[in-house]
Amino acid sequence: MCIRDRAKISALERQNRLSEERYAKELADTQDMVAAQERMSNKWRDESRQMSTRFERTVKELQDDNSRLRARLDELTGSNASLCSELSVAQSDRQDLQRDMEVLAARTRSSEQNCRELQRRVADMFEVKAELLQSRTELESANDLSLIHISEPTRLLSISYAVFCLKKKKKKGEIGDSDNMVGV
């Protein structure tokens, strides 16, 4: 072999060594990248499992919340129906009370009119009482009078008359003309 061939072989060996080193380095880099990808893949798988578990737990919680909310909705629907019924009864009662109040207002107006009429009558009665008291006073003073017969009938016919006169009585202890007094 000649020097040239040896130089070529030596150059090829060097080139081959460099290529093997480069390939070894690339292989190591590739293995590092595969290991990093595997770690990332494992990490993503773990995170995916955790997220899946959290998602399933959240779905379960939401389903439970949904069930509770449906039960509460049913309860409120029943309560609402009951309240609507009570409202209807209350409105009916309110209308009845309004009618009763209108009747009472009419009765009150009528009572007020009756009261005014009674007040007028009582006032009239007090006036009559005052007049009666006045008449009583006049009659009491009339009790002090006596009826005196001062003339005889003038005709013998069927129509005849006599004249009488009232004279004030004298109180006891007074001196007066007692023969002119005639009781009838």
Side-chain angles (χ1 to χ4, degrees), residues 5-19:
D5 286 335
R6 278 192 197 167
K8 264 187 178 179
I9 289 177
S10 173
L12 283 172
E13 284 177 355
R14 197 175 350 124
Q15 189 179 11
N16 192 20
R17 235 182 341 195
L18 287 173
S19 288

Side-chain angles (χ1 to χ4, degrees), residues 66-81:
N66 191 27
S67 295
R68 280 193 301 273
L69 289 174
R70 280 193 181 154
R72 180 67 176 144
L73 178 63
D74 292 343
E75 177 185 328
L76 290 175
T77 301
S79 177
N80 187 30

Side-chain angles (χ1 to χ4, degrees), residues 114-128:
N114 290 341
C115 185
R116 284 191 292 274
E117 178 63 24
L118 285 174
Q119 287 173 342
R120 187 187 60 75
R121 286 183 182 177
V122 167
D124 290 347
M125 288 173 60
F126 277 119
E127 287 177 15
V128 168

Side-chain angles (χ1 to χ4, degrees), residues 154-165:
T154 56
R155 295 189 195 164
L156 296 174
L157 300 172
S158 62
I159 298 176
S160 164
Y161 64 91
V163 176
F164 293 91
C165 180

